Short mmCIF file of all heavy atoms in Angstrom, two decimals:
data_model
loop_
_atom_site.label_atom_id
_atom_site.label_comp_id
_atom_site.label_asym_id
_atom_site.label_seq_id
_atom_site.Cartn_x
_atom_site.Cartn_y
_atom_site.Cartn_z
N LEU O 667 -4.51 -9.68 7.86
CA LEU O 667 -3.82 -10.58 8.79
C LEU O 667 -4.77 -11.26 9.77
O LEU O 667 -4.40 -12.23 10.44
CB LEU O 667 -2.74 -9.82 9.57
CG LEU O 667 -1.30 -9.95 9.05
CD1 LEU O 667 -0.41 -8.93 9.71
CD2 LEU O 667 -0.73 -11.36 9.25
N LEU O 668 -6.00 -10.76 9.87
CA LEU O 668 -6.96 -11.36 10.80
C LEU O 668 -7.67 -12.59 10.23
O LEU O 668 -8.46 -13.23 10.92
CB LEU O 668 -8.02 -10.32 11.23
CG LEU O 668 -7.49 -9.09 11.96
CD1 LEU O 668 -8.64 -8.18 12.37
CD2 LEU O 668 -6.68 -9.50 13.17
N ALA O 669 -7.38 -12.93 8.98
CA ALA O 669 -8.03 -14.10 8.38
C ALA O 669 -7.58 -15.37 9.10
O ALA O 669 -6.45 -15.44 9.59
CB ALA O 669 -7.66 -14.18 6.91
N ASN O 670 -8.48 -16.36 9.15
CA ASN O 670 -8.08 -17.61 9.81
C ASN O 670 -7.26 -18.47 8.84
O ASN O 670 -7.20 -18.21 7.64
CB ASN O 670 -9.30 -18.35 10.35
CG ASN O 670 -10.27 -18.72 9.24
OD1 ASN O 670 -9.86 -19.08 8.14
ND2 ASN O 670 -11.56 -18.63 9.52
N ASP O 671 -6.63 -19.50 9.40
CA ASP O 671 -5.72 -20.32 8.60
C ASP O 671 -6.42 -21.00 7.43
O ASP O 671 -5.83 -21.17 6.36
CB ASP O 671 -5.06 -21.40 9.48
CG ASP O 671 -3.98 -20.80 10.37
OD1 ASP O 671 -3.66 -19.59 10.18
OD2 ASP O 671 -3.47 -21.51 11.25
N ASN O 672 -7.68 -21.36 7.63
CA ASN O 672 -8.39 -22.03 6.55
C ASN O 672 -8.53 -21.12 5.33
O ASN O 672 -8.26 -21.53 4.20
CB ASN O 672 -9.76 -22.50 7.05
CG ASN O 672 -10.49 -23.27 5.98
OD1 ASN O 672 -9.91 -24.11 5.29
ND2 ASN O 672 -11.76 -22.94 5.78
N THR O 673 -8.92 -19.86 5.55
CA THR O 673 -9.01 -18.91 4.44
C THR O 673 -7.65 -18.74 3.79
O THR O 673 -7.51 -18.83 2.57
CB THR O 673 -9.50 -17.53 4.95
OG1 THR O 673 -10.73 -17.71 5.65
CG2 THR O 673 -9.69 -16.55 3.82
N LEU O 674 -6.64 -18.52 4.62
CA LEU O 674 -5.30 -18.27 4.07
C LEU O 674 -4.81 -19.43 3.21
O LEU O 674 -4.16 -19.24 2.19
CB LEU O 674 -4.29 -18.01 5.20
CG LEU O 674 -4.52 -16.76 6.05
CD1 LEU O 674 -3.38 -16.60 7.06
CD2 LEU O 674 -4.62 -15.50 5.19
N SER O 675 -5.17 -20.66 3.63
CA SER O 675 -4.63 -21.83 2.92
C SER O 675 -5.14 -21.93 1.48
O SER O 675 -4.56 -22.64 0.67
CB SER O 675 -4.97 -23.11 3.69
OG SER O 675 -6.35 -23.35 3.62
N HIS O 676 -6.21 -21.20 1.14
CA HIS O 676 -6.72 -21.25 -0.23
C HIS O 676 -6.20 -20.13 -1.12
O HIS O 676 -6.62 -19.97 -2.26
CB HIS O 676 -8.26 -21.19 -0.21
CG HIS O 676 -8.88 -22.40 0.40
ND1 HIS O 676 -9.32 -22.43 1.71
CD2 HIS O 676 -9.08 -23.64 -0.10
CE1 HIS O 676 -9.79 -23.64 1.98
NE2 HIS O 676 -9.65 -24.40 0.90
N LEU O 677 -5.27 -19.32 -0.60
CA LEU O 677 -4.77 -18.18 -1.37
C LEU O 677 -3.87 -18.65 -2.52
O LEU O 677 -3.21 -19.69 -2.42
CB LEU O 677 -4.01 -17.22 -0.46
CG LEU O 677 -4.88 -16.42 0.50
CD1 LEU O 677 -4.02 -15.62 1.47
CD2 LEU O 677 -5.82 -15.48 -0.26
N PRO O 678 -3.86 -17.87 -3.60
CA PRO O 678 -3.01 -18.25 -4.74
C PRO O 678 -1.52 -17.96 -4.47
O PRO O 678 -1.17 -17.37 -3.44
CB PRO O 678 -3.53 -17.34 -5.86
CG PRO O 678 -4.07 -16.14 -5.17
CD PRO O 678 -4.62 -16.63 -3.86
N LEU O 679 -0.70 -18.35 -5.43
CA LEU O 679 0.73 -18.03 -5.40
C LEU O 679 0.91 -16.54 -5.07
O LEU O 679 0.26 -15.69 -5.67
CB LEU O 679 1.31 -18.35 -6.78
CG LEU O 679 2.76 -17.97 -7.05
CD1 LEU O 679 3.71 -18.69 -6.09
CD2 LEU O 679 3.12 -18.29 -8.51
#
Side-chain angles (χ1 to χ4, degrees):
L667 261 167
L668 299 182
N670 61 37
D671 285 352
N672 183 44
T673 305
L674 295 184
S675 69
H676 293 99
L677 288 173
L679 174 61

